[in-house]
């Protein structure tokens, strides 16, 4: 009874963490879309820096209240994480600017096989055939939904390549650092958020000026736009925290696969709020395929052997010796 109860509690906690991430991620997409499209605040990198400032304040308050314990993260590890994370943010923004929407979506989809490759190479993870096929079905479904025009150019391809690999490395590192240094999601955020906030606020205005030819200090701020910025920063705290929680509980690959559920939700909410423009048979078909693939992935990866860490096997002679020794020990015990 106890193991079943623990399994149920874990499943409930996993579902709650995942829904927390979905709700905050979809919420911040809607708020940022309104902020940028309606109110013309197109300074994405600077806004991300403000998100991490708010997240830093949250971790400071929680540490002061005693909810976050003192922990240690070596500076070289922190530096590598911040480099990967910042290249991810900048790379995604530049990739979206230099590429067609279709190729940008393909680049985002390629993060799943790249994350799989990282886990296979660095963590010695082995995937079953059903798990691999379910990932392929998810990629197919989301691709049918989102990929339309596809045009490639050299600089856009380089930006997408950097964005995909840096994002995959950043997400892998979230899981790696939590496991290696026994850090909670709050602790890891407490280390990384201040560094990301400082670096992005320093570089953000210059990068945004390069991307948009507009200065953040020249924006016409008003009460409504400031309220949207504050709302975006508030939701971002939940988005950043839930990302670390989910990757810590699952892995980067699972986070990427299930993360495409957010793409489906955003499409559905867009149709719900803004009418049926763009809603056609191939989009609906893509949604159905993607959801089926996600359900299949959840079942396949949860089965024994669906996704497991390969153990380093001993040489055959040593294994035989150990086997015979254990057998003789068992016989002695029985006698």
């Amino acid at each position: 009874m106890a193991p079943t109860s623990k399994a149920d509690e874990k499943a409930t906690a996993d579902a709650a963490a995942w829904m927390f991430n979905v709700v905050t991620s979809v919420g911040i997409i809607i708020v940022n879309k309104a902020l940028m499209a309606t109110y013309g605040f197109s300074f994405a990198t600077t806004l991300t820096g403000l998100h991490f400032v708010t997240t830093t304040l949250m971790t400071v308050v929680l540490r002061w209240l005693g909810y976050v314990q003192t922990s240690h993260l070596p500076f070289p590890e922190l530096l590598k994480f911040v480099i990967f994370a910042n290249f991810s943010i900048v790379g995604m923004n530049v990739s979206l600017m230099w590429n067609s929407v279709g190729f940008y979506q393909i680049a985002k989809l390629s993060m799943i096989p790249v994350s799989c490759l990282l886990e296979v190479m660095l963590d010695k993870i082995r995937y079953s055939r059903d798990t691999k096929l379910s990932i392929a079905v998810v990629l197919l479904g989301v691709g049918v939904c989102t990929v339309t025009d596809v045009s490639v150019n050299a600089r856009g391809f380089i930006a997408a390549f950097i964005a995909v690999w840096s994002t995959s490395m950043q997400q892998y590192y979230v899981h790696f650092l939590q496991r290696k240094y026994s850090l909670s999601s709050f602790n890891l955020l407490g280390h990384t958020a201040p560094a990301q906030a400082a670096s992005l606020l320093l570089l953000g205005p210059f990068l945004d000026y390069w991307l948009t030819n507009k200065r953040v200090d020249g924006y016409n701020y008003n009460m409504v736009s400031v309220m949207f910025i504050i709302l975006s920063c508030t939701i971002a705290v939940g988005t950043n925290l839930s990302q670390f929680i989910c990757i810590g509980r699952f892995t980067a690959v699972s986070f990427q696969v299930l993360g495409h559920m957010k793409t489906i939700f955003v499409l559905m909410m867009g149709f719900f709020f803004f009418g049926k423009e763009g809603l056609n048979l191939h989009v609906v078909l893509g949604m159905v395929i993607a959801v089926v693939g996600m359900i299949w992935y959840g079942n396949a990866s949860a089965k024994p052997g669906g996704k497991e860490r390969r153990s380093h096997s001993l040489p055959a002679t040593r294994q035989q010796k150990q086997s015979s020794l254990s057998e003789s020990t068992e016989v002695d015990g029985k006698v």
Side-chain angles (χ1 to χ4, degrees):
M1 190 73 176
T4 306
S5 177
K6 284 187 177 180
D8 290 342
E9 288 178 4
K10 183 183 183 304
T12 302
D14 288 347
W18 185 246
M19 284 308 300
F20 182 33
N21 181 257
V22 169
V23 170
T24 54
S25 298
V26 173
I28 202 169
I29 289 171
I30 294 172
V31 171
N32 286 352
K33 184 175 181 180
L35 179 61
M36 294 180 181
T38 306
Y39 299 101
F41 190 87
S42 55
F43 311 102
T45 310
T46 304
L47 182 62
T48 306
L50 293 174
H51 290 170
F52 282 106
V53 169
T54 315
T55 305
T56 300
L57 292 175
M58 182 268 296
T59 59
V60 169
V61 170
L62 289 176
R63 183 175 286 110
W64 180 67
L65 293 174
Y67 291 105
V68 178
Q69 305 301 319
T70 303
S71 59
H72 174 68
L73 180 64
F75 180 75
E77 300 278 32
L78 175 62
L79 183 62
K80 282 189 284 187
F81 179 89
V82 171
I83 289 173
F84 290 139
N86 287 357
F87 265 100
S88 168
I89 293 164
V90 174
M92 280 298 177
N93 290 340
V94 175
S95 176
L96 183 58
M97 183 183 73
W98 285 351
N99 290 311
S100 66
V101 175
F103 187 74
Y104 175 77
Q105 290 294 343
I106 288 177
K108 287 182 68 176
L109 291 175
S110 68
M111 289 179 196
I112 292 179
V114 170
S115 296
C116 288
L117 179 63
L118 289 174
E119 289 191 353
V120 169
M121 291 176 59
L122 301 178
D123 283 348
K124 309 301 181 188
I125 296 294
R126 180 172 54 197
Y127 296 92
S128 68
R129 186 190 64 175
D130 280 0
T131 305
K132 294 174 185 175
L133 288 175
S134 65
I135 291 173
V137 171
V138 173
L139 293 174
L140 174 65
V142 178
V144 170
C145 282
T146 59
V147 177
T148 52
D149 60 311
V150 179
S151 58
V152 187
N153 59 77
R155 65 176 188 173
F157 178 83
I158 293 171
F161 182 86
I162 292 173
V164 167
W165 277 93
S166 57
T167 302
S168 300
M169 285 299 298
Q170 183 258 344
Q171 293 183 353
Y172 170 82
Y173 241 66
V174 170
H175 187 75
F176 171 79
L177 292 176
Q178 288 191 47
R179 189 177 70 240
K180 182 176 180 180
Y181 296 101
S182 301
L183 297 172
S184 69
S185 304
F186 289 105
N187 282 331
L188 186 56
L189 264 181
H191 289 292
T192 60
Q196 284 191 261
S199 56
L200 289 174
L201 285 182
L202 284 173
L203 298 175
F206 299 102
L207 182 65
D208 288 332
Y209 179 75
W210 176 55
L211 292 174
T212 65
N213 204 28
K214 296 177 183 177
R215 293 176 48 162
V216 66
D217 59 332
Y219 176 74
N220 184 24
Y221 294 91
N222 56 56
M223 182 64 69
V224 178
S225 63
V226 170
M227 287 294 293
F228 268 93
I229 292 172
I230 293 172
L231 180 60
S232 176
C233 291
T234 304
I235 299 174
V237 173
T239 306
N240 291 331
L241 177 60
S242 63
Q243 182 194 31
F244 279 38
I245 292 174
C246 286
I247 296 177
R249 296 186 71 88
F250 313 119
T251 62
V253 173
S254 297
F255 182 75
Q256 281 287 342
V257 171
L258 298 176
H260 286 297
M261 180 63 76
K262 292 177 284 190
T263 304
I264 305 300
F265 281 154
V266 169
L267 287 171
M268 292 174 63
M269 293 185 71
F271 298 140
F272 180 77
F273 285 112
F274 305 112
K276 295 184 178 180
E277 182 181 352
L279 180 61
N280 51 49
L281 181 61
H282 87 271
V283 172
V284 174
L285 178 62
M287 288 182 179
V288 173
I289 293 172
V291 171
V292 169
M294 290 171 198
I295 295 171
W296 187 10
Y297 174 81
N299 291 331
S301 61
K303 289 180 180 178
K307 181 180 178 181
E308 61 186 8
R309 194 182 305 274
R310 287 177 290 188
S311 58
H312 298 285
S313 58
L314 295 169
T317 54
R318 287 182 63 189
Q319 283 186 335
Q320 289 171 358
K321 287 180 181 178
Q322 288 189 354
S323 176
S324 60
L325 179 62
S326 63
E327 288 174 359
S328 62
T329 304
E330 286 178 3
V331 171
D332 291 341
K334 289 176 183 176
V335 173

mmCIF file with all atom_site columns, all heavy atoms in Angstrom, residues 133-146:
data_model
loop_
_atom_site.group_PDB
_atom_site.id
_atom_site.type_symbol
_atom_site.label_atom_id
_atom_site.label_alt_id
_atom_site.label_comp_id
_atom_site.label_asym_id
_atom_site.label_entity_id
_atom_site.label_seq_id
_atom_site.pdbx_PDB_ins_code
_atom_site.Cartn_x
_atom_site.Cartn_y
_atom_site.Cartn_z
_atom_site.occupancy
_atom_site.B_iso_or_equiv
_atom_site.pdbx_formal_charge
_atom_site.auth_seq_id
_atom_site.auth_comp_id
_atom_site.auth_asym_id
_atom_site.auth_atom_id
_atom_site.pdbx_PDB_model_num
ATOM 1  N N   . LEU A 1 133 ? 9.956  6.203  -31.398 1.00 0.00 ? 133 LEU A N   1
ATOM 2  C CA  . LEU A 1 133 ? 8.854  6.398  -32.339 1.00 0.00 ? 133 LEU A CA  1
ATOM 3  C C   . LEU A 1 133 ? 7.866  7.446  -31.835 1.00 0.00 ? 133 LEU A C   1
ATOM 4  O O   . LEU A 1 133 ? 7.346  8.256  -32.619 1.00 0.00 ? 133 LEU A O   1
ATOM 5  C CB  . LEU A 1 133 ? 8.134  5.066  -32.581 1.00 0.00 ? 133 LEU A CB  1
ATOM 6  C CG  . LEU A 1 133 ? 8.898  4.030  -33.412 1.00 0.00 ? 133 LEU A CG  1
ATOM 7  C CD1 . LEU A 1 133 ? 8.126  2.717  -33.456 1.00 0.00 ? 133 LEU A CD1 1
ATOM 8  C CD2 . LEU A 1 133 ? 9.145  4.543  -34.818 1.00 0.00 ? 133 LEU A CD2 1
ATOM 9  N N   . SER A 1 134 ? 7.607  7.456  -30.533 1.00 0.00 ? 134 SER A N   1
ATOM 10 C CA  . SER A 1 134 ? 6.662  8.439  -29.979 1.00 0.00 ? 134 SER A CA  1
ATOM 11 C C   . SER A 1 134 ? 7.208  9.860  -30.128 1.00 0.00 ? 134 SER A C   1
ATOM 12 O O   . SER A 1 134 ? 6.450  10.798 -30.417 1.00 0.00 ? 134 SER A O   1
ATOM 13 C CB  . SER A 1 134 ? 6.371  8.130  -28.511 1.00 0.00 ? 134 SER A CB  1
ATOM 14 O OG  . SER A 1 134 ? 7.535  8.293  -27.709 1.00 0.00 ? 134 SER A OG  1
ATOM 15 N N   . ILE A 1 135 ? 8.524  10.032 -29.956 1.00 0.00 ? 135 ILE A N   1
ATOM 16 C CA  . ILE A 1 135 ? 9.141  11.346 -30.156 1.00 0.00 ? 135 ILE A CA  1
ATOM 17 C C   . ILE A 1 135 ? 8.987  11.776 -31.608 1.00 0.00 ? 135 ILE A C   1
ATOM 18 O O   . ILE A 1 135 ? 8.667  12.938 -31.905 1.00 0.00 ? 135 ILE A O   1
ATOM 19 C CB  . ILE A 1 135 ? 10.634 11.309 -29.750 1.00 0.00 ? 135 ILE A CB  1
ATOM 20 C CG1 . ILE A 1 135 ? 10.763 11.148 -28.230 1.00 0.00 ? 135 ILE A CG1 1
ATOM 21 C CG2 . ILE A 1 135 ? 11.359 12.565 -30.215 1.00 0.00 ? 135 ILE A CG2 1
ATOM 22 C CD1 . ILE A 1 135 ? 12.188 10.945 -27.756 1.00 0.00 ? 135 ILE A CD1 1
ATOM 23 N N   . ALA A 1 136 ? 9.174  10.827 -32.537 1.00 0.00 ? 136 ALA A N   1
ATOM 24 C CA  . ALA A 1 136 ? 9.015  11.134 -33.964 1.00 0.00 ? 136 ALA A CA  1
ATOM 25 C C   . ALA A 1 136 ? 7.583  11.567 -34.277 1.00 0.00 ? 136 ALA A C   1
ATOM 26 O O   . ALA A 1 136 ? 7.354  12.488 -35.071 1.00 0.00 ? 136 ALA A O   1
ATOM 27 C CB  . ALA A 1 136 ? 9.402  9.924  -34.805 1.00 0.00 ? 136 ALA A CB  1
ATOM 28 N N   . VAL A 1 137 ? 6.606  10.923 -33.629 1.00 0.00 ? 137 VAL A N   1
ATOM 29 C CA  . VAL A 1 137 ? 5.194  11.284 -33.852 1.00 0.00 ? 137 VAL A CA  1
ATOM 30 C C   . VAL A 1 137 ? 4.910  12.696 -33.343 1.00 0.00 ? 137 VAL A C   1
ATOM 31 O O   . VAL A 1 137 ? 4.209  13.483 -33.993 1.00 0.00 ? 137 VAL A O   1
ATOM 32 C CB  . VAL A 1 137 ? 4.267  10.259 -33.169 1.00 0.00 ? 137 VAL A CB  1
ATOM 33 C CG1 . VAL A 1 137 ? 2.815  10.731 -33.185 1.00 0.00 ? 137 VAL A CG1 1
ATOM 34 C CG2 . VAL A 1 137 ? 4.371  8.911  -33.862 1.00 0.00 ? 137 VAL A CG2 1
ATOM 35 N N   . VAL A 1 138 ? 5.471  13.049 -32.173 1.00 0.00 ? 138 VAL A N   1
ATOM 36 C CA  . VAL A 1 138 ? 5.301  14.403 -31.640 1.00 0.00 ? 138 VAL A CA  1
ATOM 37 C C   . VAL A 1 138 ? 5.887  15.432 -32.606 1.00 0.00 ? 138 VAL A C   1
ATOM 38 O O   . VAL A 1 138 ? 5.251  16.443 -32.919 1.00 0.00 ? 138 VAL A O   1
ATOM 39 C CB  . VAL A 1 138 ? 5.960  14.539 -30.255 1.00 0.00 ? 138 VAL A CB  1
ATOM 40 C CG1 . VAL A 1 138 ? 5.935  15.996 -29.795 1.00 0.00 ? 138 VAL A CG1 1
ATOM 41 C CG2 . VAL A 1 138 ? 5.250  13.675 -29.238 1.00 0.00 ? 138 VAL A CG2 1
ATOM 42 N N   . LEU A 1 139 ? 7.100  15.172 -33.087 1.00 0.00 ? 139 LEU A N   1
ATOM 43 C CA  . LEU A 1 139 ? 7.742  16.087 -34.033 1.00 0.00 ? 139 LEU A CA  1
ATOM 44 C C   . LEU A 1 139 ? 6.905  16.242 -35.301 1.00 0.00 ? 139 LEU A C   1
ATOM 45 O O   . LEU A 1 139 ? 6.743  17.354 -35.817 1.00 0.00 ? 139 LEU A O   1
ATOM 46 C CB  . LEU A 1 139 ? 9.138  15.575 -34.390 1.00 0.00 ? 139 LEU A CB  1
ATOM 47 C CG  . LEU A 1 139 ? 10.176 15.567 -33.266 1.00 0.00 ? 139 LEU A CG  1
ATOM 48 C CD1 . LEU A 1 139 ? 11.467 14.893 -33.732 1.00 0.00 ? 139 LEU A CD1 1
ATOM 49 C CD2 . LEU A 1 139 ? 10.478 16.977 -32.804 1.00 0.00 ? 139 LEU A CD2 1
ATOM 50 N N   . LEU A 1 140 ? 6.378  15.141 -35.789 1.00 0.00 ? 140 LEU A N   1
ATOM 51 C CA  . LEU A 1 140 ? 5.541  15.187 -36.994 1.00 0.00 ? 140 LEU A CA  1
ATOM 52 C C   . LEU A 1 140 ? 4.296  16.032 -36.761 1.00 0.00 ? 140 LEU A C   1
ATOM 53 O O   . LEU A 1 140 ? 3.952  16.897 -37.575 1.00 0.00 ? 140 LEU A O   1
ATOM 54 C CB  . LEU A 1 140 ? 5.148  13.761 -37.401 1.00 0.00 ? 140 LEU A CB  1
ATOM 55 C CG  . LEU A 1 140 ? 4.149  13.653 -38.568 1.00 0.00 ? 140 LEU A CG  1
ATOM 56 C CD1 . LEU A 1 140 ? 4.770  14.195 -39.844 1.00 0.00 ? 140 LEU A CD1 1
ATOM 57 C CD2 . LEU A 1 140 ? 3.708  12.200 -38.762 1.00 0.00 ? 140 LEU A CD2 1
ATOM 58 N N   . GLY A 1 141 ? 3.614  15.785 -35.633 1.00 0.00 ? 141 GLY A N   1
ATOM 59 C CA  . GLY A 1 141 ? 2.373  16.509 -35.355 1.00 0.00 ? 141 GLY A CA  1
ATOM 60 C C   . GLY A 1 141 ? 2.585  18.005 -35.203 1.00 0.00 ? 141 GLY A C   1
ATOM 61 O O   . GLY A 1 141 ? 1.871  18.814 -35.802 1.00 0.00 ? 141 GLY A O   1
ATOM 62 N N   . VAL A 1 142 ? 3.588  18.397 -34.411 1.00 0.00 ? 142 VAL A N   1
ATOM 63 C CA  . VAL A 1 142 ? 3.849  19.818 -34.206 1.00 0.00 ? 142 VAL A CA  1
ATOM 64 C C   . VAL A 1 142 ? 4.339  20.454 -35.504 1.00 0.00 ? 142 VAL A C   1
ATOM 65 O O   . VAL A 1 142 ? 4.000  21.605 -35.817 1.00 0.00 ? 142 VAL A O   1
ATOM 66 C CB  . VAL A 1 142 ? 4.871  20.037 -33.071 1.00 0.00 ? 142 VAL A CB  1
ATOM 67 C CG1 . VAL A 1 142 ? 5.178  21.522 -32.896 1.00 0.00 ? 142 VAL A CG1 1
ATOM 68 C CG2 . VAL A 1 142 ? 4.340  19.465 -31.771 1.00 0.00 ? 142 VAL A CG2 1
ATOM 69 N N   . GLY A 1 143 ? 5.107  19.700 -36.288 1.00 0.00 ? 143 GLY A N   1
ATOM 70 C CA  . GLY A 1 143 ? 5.559  20.220 -37.573 1.00 0.00 ? 143 GLY A CA  1
ATOM 71 C C   . GLY A 1 143 ? 4.400  20.497 -38.513 1.00 0.00 ? 143 GLY A C   1
ATOM 72 O O   . GLY A 1 143 ? 4.368  21.534 -39.191 1.00 0.00 ? 143 GLY A O   1
ATOM 73 N N   . VAL A 1 144 ? 3.434  19.584 -38.573 1.00 0.00 ? 144 VAL A N   1
ATOM 74 C CA  . VAL A 1 144 ? 2.250  19.782 -39.420 1.00 0.00 ? 144 VAL A CA  1
ATOM 75 C C   . VAL A 1 144 ? 1.479  21.018 -38.971 1.00 0.00 ? 144 VAL A C   1
ATOM 76 O O   . VAL A 1 144 ? 0.959  21.791 -39.786 1.00 0.00 ? 144 VAL A O   1
ATOM 77 C CB  . VAL A 1 144 ? 1.350  18.524 -39.379 1.00 0.00 ? 144 VAL A CB  1
ATOM 78 C CG1 . VAL A 1 144 ? 0.006  18.799 -40.046 1.00 0.00 ? 144 VAL A CG1 1
ATOM 79 C CG2 . VAL A 1 144 ? 2.038  17.361 -40.072 1.00 0.00 ? 144 VAL A CG2 1
ATOM 80 N N   . CYS A 1 145 ? 1.419  21.239 -37.652 1.00 0.00 ? 145 CYS A N   1
ATOM 81 C CA  . CYS A 1 145 ? 0.685  22.401 -37.103 1.00 0.00 ? 145 CYS A CA  1
ATOM 82 C C   . CYS A 1 145 ? 1.349  23.726 -37.441 1.00 0.00 ? 145 CYS A C   1
ATOM 83 O O   . CYS A 1 145 ? 0.673  24.706 -37.760 1.00 0.00 ? 145 CYS A O   1
ATOM 84 C CB  . CYS A 1 145 ? 0.613  22.319 -35.575 1.00 0.00 ? 145 CYS A CB  1
ATOM 85 S SG  . CYS A 1 145 ? -0.595 21.189 -34.941 1.00 0.00 ? 145 CYS A SG  1
ATOM 86 N N   . THR A 1 146 ? 2.666  23.778 -37.306 1.00 0.00 ? 146 THR A N   1
ATOM 87 C CA  . THR A 1 146 ? 3.333  25.084 -37.238 1.00 0.00 ? 146 THR A CA  1
ATOM 88 C C   . THR A 1 146 ? 4.206  25.434 -38.431 1.00 0.00 ? 146 THR A C   1
ATOM 89 O O   . THR A 1 146 ? 4.433  26.610 -38.702 1.00 0.00 ? 146 THR A O   1
ATOM 90 C CB  . THR A 1 146 ? 4.227  25.144 -35.978 1.00 0.00 ? 146 THR A CB  1
ATOM 91 O OG1 . THR A 1 146 ? 5.204  24.090 -36.032 1.00 0.00 ? 146 THR A OG1 1
ATOM 92 C CG2 . THR A 1 146 ? 3.401  24.987 -34.715 1.00 0.00 ? 146 THR A CG2 1
#
